[in-house]
Each structure stands twice: as structure tokens, then as C-alpha cells.
Amino acid sequence: MIVGGLGTLVNEGVFLLSAHSMPIFFSLGLAIELSIIFNFILNDIWTFKDRRVGSFIKRLLKFHVSSFSGGIVQYITVILLLVVFLHFSNLSEILLFLFFSYIKAQSLFLAVINFIGIVSGFAVRFITSLKYVWA
């Protein structure tokens, strides 16, 4: 629970710091990736230290595979919520926003949207980590 909470802070912090300086497509992906690495390191040295099997790299790759589906769930949730709440009218506006625009929304709005995405991917990440990575 502590690892997940700290990983959420990493995810939110990276997302909020980067969303105003790079397109959302990249800032959200960066936030998810850095929080996955952060969570793996803490889980590996603390939470599941007694359940390590294989090399560090093998465990890291397995953790990435197990976290990928949760990351995709988070990514899709955040993008869909942004599209709905920012009222894009057509696909070209959405694509421009995702790949070429910097978001101009309030940080609290972005944090809430991202947190909803994090929560939506949490169960998938937790179950796959428990059943696949440290099984």
C-alpha cells in the first residue's frame, strides 16, 4: 500500500510537471513509465524481497509486462476523460491535442483525471504482479 501510494505521487508529479511542457501523449506515457520503474524497485527491495525469482532484469521485464495492461487502462481512461471534459468536436482536434499541443488545463483538474486513471489501472497491476511477477 505504501509502495502504491508513493508510486501514485511519482505518477502524478511527473504528469503535472510534464503536461504543461510536452504533448499529453508523451507526458502521460512518461509518468506511467517512471512510476512503473519506481514501484518495481521499491517492491523488489522491500515488499517482495523474499519472493525474488530470477535475475533483476528478468524480474523488471516481468513487472513491466504485468504492469503494461494496468498502464494501458490508465492511459485510455485519462485520454477519454480529457476528450470528454475538454469537449473536442472532431478527431483532428483530438489528434492535435494528443501529439502536438501542450495542455492548458488547471493542475487540480489534471491531477483528478490522472488519479481516476491510476485507480482504474490499480487492480490490474496488483493482480498481475502478485500472480505473475512474484509467484
Side-chain angles (χ1 to χ4, degrees):
M1 192 155 179
I2 292 171
V3 172
L6 293 172
T8 297
L9 292 176
V10 168
N11 191 307
E12 289 280 22
V14 171
F15 182 60
L16 292 175
L17 289 173
S18 63
H20 298 292
S21 60
M22 65 176 62
I24 197 79
F25 178 82
F26 301 109
S27 63
L28 184 55
L30 179 64
I32 292 169
E33 180 61 25
L34 290 179
S35 67
I36 288 172
I37 292 169
F38 177 85
N39 284 354
F40 168 75
I41 291 170
L42 281 186
N43 279 320
D44 196 58
I45 64 174
W46 185 29
T47 310
F48 297 108
K49 69 181 177 188
D50 59 331
R51 298 179 75 180
R52 294 180 188 154
V53 177
S55 69
F56 178 85
I57 297 297
K58 184 176 180 179
R59 290 190 311 275
L60 176 62
L61 291 173
K62 286 172 76 174
F63 189 81
H64 262 82
V65 168
S66 73
S67 297
F68 185 72
S69 56
I72 293 297
V73 168
Q74 176 188 348
Y75 198 91
I76 290 170
T77 301
V78 171
I79 296 301
L80 288 175
L81 289 172
L82 286 171
V83 166
V84 168
F85 287 118
L86 295 178
H87 306 291
F88 293 107
S89 60
N90 58 50
L91 183 59
S92 63
E93 284 183 359
I94 294 170
L95 293 175
L96 284 172
F97 167 71
L98 289 177
F99 294 103
F100 300 106
S101 303
Y102 306 122
I103 194 159
K104 295 175 177 85
Q106 295 287 342
S107 293
L108 180 60
F109 171 75
L110 290 178
V112 169
I113 295 290
N114 192 41
F115 186 73
I116 292 168
I118 291 168
V119 169
S120 68
F122 167 75
V124 174
R125 284 187 189 100
F126 180 77
I127 291 168
T128 55
S129 291
L130 193 60
K131 299 285 185 185
Y132 176 65
V133 179
W134 286 282

